[in-house]
């Protein structure tokens, strides 16, 4: 559990939990789709959104794992199981949902929100940001750089989406989030490093209750109403890398992703 951190303009800090940043908010009548919800940060996000009355659809690739991981949630009738994805998957899912979201926002006069779970790891992307010419380069694969590129893509995706939504004058916001460094199963492929990390992490990393705070804050808190195209860090607006602010890069990635997900 992380115990340090001073409060930012939002009144919350790196030690705030998801329950704290959504305290008193009534999410009844809202629907959220949480991808990868069978574990870690997004499982806690699901729990807290449901706690606030939101109808939550858990998008998990392994429904059995989702059921095993969340027996306590299945007693609630506002959670459903679906399937899950990665950058292109999130791009496609968002694209498929967008017209419905626009109609719902207009008809209900309620703001829709897209929240991409990115990471400070986006800074590990290569110097060109997105390697358009080597997007699936197995020969030169580097795990950190590939992770960095995928997290940079999460930020660029919502940046371009936010721009398009503003053009459409529709009440939907799109933001990305760095959740902090959290003890989850994310590092399970790192062997010994993972074991050491889990022991040391007890004292120096966030727990999942704190790790889900920024996502829940951006998804539900009224303070964020109308804020779009931003990168949030510890429940406050953060400052991502220069590549993550590059509007041309965001547009190029959008076009590439659209072509991948809409083959002729
Ligand atoms: N933990 C951190 O310190 C940290 C820091 C910064 C950012 N993040 C970001 O936070 C997000 C959640 O991470 P976490 O720490 O909560 O990890 P986690 O406990 O490992 O959970 C990851 C979830 O994503 C699903 N998933 C993974 N790869 C997938 C794929 N290719 N297709 C579909 N589903 C997939 C997993 O499903 P299965 O159960 O089926 O494997 C699991 O439900 C990630 O995007 C990560 O980059 C985490």
């Amino acid at each position: 559990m992380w115990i340090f951190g001073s409060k930012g303009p939002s009144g919350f800090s790196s030690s705030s939990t998801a329950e704290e940043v959504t305290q008193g908010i009534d999410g009844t009548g809202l629907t959220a789709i949480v991808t990868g919800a069978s574990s870690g940060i997004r499982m806690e996000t699901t729990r807290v959104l449901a706690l606030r009355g939101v109808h939550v659809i858990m998008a998990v690739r392994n429904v059995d794992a989702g059921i095993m991981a969340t027996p306590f949630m299945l007693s609630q009738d506002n959670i459903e199981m679906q399937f899950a994805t990665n950058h292109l998957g999130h791009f496609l899912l968002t694209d498929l949902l967008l017209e419905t979201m626009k109609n719902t926002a207009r008809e209900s006069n309620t703001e829709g929100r897209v929240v991409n779970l990115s990471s400070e790891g986006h800074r590990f992307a290569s110097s060109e940001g997105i390697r358009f010419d080597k997007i699936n380069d197995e020969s030169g694969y580097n795990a950190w750089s590939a992770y960095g590129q995928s997290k940079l893509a999460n930020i660029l995706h919502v940046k371009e989406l936010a721009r398009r939504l503003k053009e459409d004058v529709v009440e939907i916001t799109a933001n990305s989030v760095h959740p902090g460094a959290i003890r989850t199963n994310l590092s399970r492929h790192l062997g010994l490093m993972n074991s050491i990390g889990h022991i040391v992490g007890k004292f120096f990393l966030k727990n999942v209750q704190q790790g889900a705070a920024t996502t829940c804050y951006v998804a539900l808190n009224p303070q964020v109403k109308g804020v779009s195209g931003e990168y949030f860090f510890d429940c406050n607006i953060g400052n991502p890398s220069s590549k993550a602010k590059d509007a041309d890069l965001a547009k190029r990635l959008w076009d590439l992703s659209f072509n991948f997900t809409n083959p002729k």
Side-chain angles (χ1 to χ4, degrees):
M1 180 177 160
W2 181 249
I3 54 168
F4 308 103
S6 50
K7 289 180 182 171
S10 69
F12 300 113
S13 73
S14 53
S15 61
S16 301
T17 65
E19 287 200 23
E20 286 165 1
V21 304
T22 57
Q23 190 66 48
I25 299 173
D26 181 9
T28 312
L30 300 175
T31 296
I33 299 177
V34 182
T35 59
S38 58
S39 167
I41 304 165
R42 293 177 293 197
M43 187 170 135
E44 174 67 1
T45 299
T46 301
R47 186 187 73 78
V48 173
L49 292 181
L51 184 71
R52 302 296 175 227
V54 177
H55 174 91
V56 188
I57 297 170
M58 297 171 70
V60 297
R61 61 176 164 178
N62 180 344
V63 174
D64 288 341
I67 290 169
M68 293 285 287
T70 57
F72 61 95
M73 292 178 187
L74 295 176
S75 58
Q76 303 200 25
D77 60 5
N78 55 350
I79 298 178
E80 291 171 16
M81 292 283 182
Q82 300 282 332
F83 62 91
T85 69
N86 54 37
H87 162 67
L88 277 182
H90 285 114
F91 180 90
L92 178 60
L93 181 63
T94 310
D95 197 38
L96 291 171
L97 289 169
L98 209 53
E99 275 315 301
T100 305
M101 281 187 79
K102 285 180 184 174
N103 292 337
T104 307
R106 287 189 181 116
E107 284 161 18
S108 66
N109 221 5
T110 304
E111 183 178 85
R113 295 185 182 182
V114 177
V115 186
N116 269 6
L117 191 40
S118 180
S119 168
E120 274 292 277
H122 77 274
R123 297 180 198 275
F124 299 143
S126 63
S127 54
E128 70 258 54
I130 305 293
R131 302 175 75 198
F132 290 99
D133 55 334
K134 293 178 182 165
I135 208 74
N136 198 22
D137 183 19
E138 289 176 19
S139 60
Y141 181 78
N142 173 290
W144 286 108
S145 158
Y147 181 70
Q149 177 170 260
S150 76
K151 295 288 107 183
L152 177 63
N154 292 149
I155 303 177
L156 293 171
H157 171 208
V158 287
K159 186 175 173 59
E160 174 64 10
L161 178 61
R163 191 192 67 73
R164 286 168 181 254
L165 290 166
K166 274 177 197 159
E167 238 175 44
D168 287 355
V169 197
V170 61
E171 213 188 336
I172 300 175
T173 62
N175 292 292
S176 56
V177 159
H178 167 63
I182 304 119
R183 284 177 73 220
T184 65
N185 292 328
L186 189 68
S187 54
R188 60 189 172 277
H189 308 295
L190 296 179
L192 182 63
M193 286 276 285
N194 181 41
S195 310
I196 296 169
H198 264 261
I199 295 165
V200 179
K202 270 188 195 169
F203 308 101
F204 296 107
L205 299 180
K206 287 184 179 182
N207 58 28
V208 286
Q209 290 82 1
Q210 296 170 324
T214 308
T215 308
C216 288
Y217 173 74
V218 177
L220 215 53
N221 198 295
Q223 288 180 0
V224 188
K225 187 167 169 51
V227 179
S228 196
E230 297 290 351
Y231 172 74
F232 282 81
F233 187 123
D234 292 339
C235 301
N236 288 283
I237 292 177
N239 188 20
S241 70
S242 56
K243 286 287 166 209
K245 296 179 200 161
D246 186 332
D248 291 337
L249 195 62
K251 168 87 176 62
R252 276 187 79 192
L253 177 65
W254 182 281
D255 291 343
L256 179 87
S257 308
F258 185 83
N259 289 337
F260 267 131
T261 51
N262 292 274
K264 290 184 182 119

